[in-house]
């Protein structure tokens, strides 16, 4: 991948994500991951990996930053925002980035770099490609007919807020 000129306006944002990853890793609160969300050239949210600190397996840097930005802006979509993350996101965080509808993502380390230090998500990518019945996580569908009622009501509700 081609490096941008040192004068690139995006460098300070990525450097802040990297700084957060280093600071967090040194405190022992979680892994070496940091993220910032930028809107109109300003950092509006910061996140670092808080898995160990909170005992929350979803408290990855990107998810923490997305939650902070959404709360600050009082929205559930982050159009008009960009995310800078110290590492290529895991499948969960990448899904959260898509769901948040961020305009663009920048990352520093690759998923291969993360795998080299013990954060290997390749098994998740492989699992997602398998049919449900062949995945390691045993999954059993049940009571679909009953669950369909909520879906019918949602589909028929003219006052719903789509997202």
């Amino acid at each position: 991948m081609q490096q941008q000129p040192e004068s690139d306006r995006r460098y300070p944002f990525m450097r802040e994500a990297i700084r957060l990853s280093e600071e967090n890793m040194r405190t022992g609160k979680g892994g070496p991951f940091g993220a910032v969300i930028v809107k109109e050239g300003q950092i509006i949210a910061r996140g670092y990996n808080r898995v160990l600190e909170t005992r929350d397996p979803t408290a990855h840097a990107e998810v923490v930053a997305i939650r902070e930005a959404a709360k600050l802006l009082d929205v559930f979509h982050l159009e008009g925002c960009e995310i800078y993350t110290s590492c290529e996101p895991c499948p969960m965080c990448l899904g959260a980035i898509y769901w948040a509808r961020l305009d663009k993502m920048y990352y520093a380390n690759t998923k291969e770099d993360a795998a080299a230090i013990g954060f290997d998500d390749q098994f998740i990518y492989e699992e997602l490609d398998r049919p449900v019945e062949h995945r390691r996580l045993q999954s059993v569908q049940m009571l679909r007919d009953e669950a369909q009622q909520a879906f019918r009501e949602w589909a028929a509700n003219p006052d719903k807020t789509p997202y």
Side-chain angles (χ1 to χ4, degrees), residues 44-137:
I44 62 163
R46 289 172 171 79
Y48 57 86
N49 184 288
R50 299 181 65 200
V51 170
L52 299 177
E53 176 186 21
T54 63
R55 308 295 190 261
D56 177 354
T58 68
H60 290 199
E62 298 88 344
V63 171
V64 170
I66 287 168
R67 289 174 180 164
E68 184 178 312
K71 184 176 181 178
L72 174 79
L73 298 174
D74 195 26
V75 297
F76 53 84
H77 286 156
L78 296 174
E79 291 103 344
C81 298
E82 300 173 336
I83 189 165
Y84 292 76
T85 179
S86 65
C87 186
E88 186 175 1
C90 74
M92 176 187 70
C93 292
L94 187 58
I97 289 166
Y98 275 103
W99 276 112
R101 298 198 177 126
L102 289 148
D103 291 354
K104 198 166 196 176
M105 175 181 72
Y106 300 92
Y107 63 94
N109 291 313
T110 67
K111 61 184 178 183
E112 291 80 15
D113 296 330
I117 63 164
F119 294 94
D120 190 354
D121 299 319
Q122 187 58 39
F123 79 97
I124 298 173
Y125 291 107
E126 291 169 4
E127 283 287 293
L128 292 174
D129 282 341
R130 291 188 175 107
V132 172
E133 63 273 9
H134 296 293
R135 293 179 185 164
R136 274 197 260 170
L137 177 64

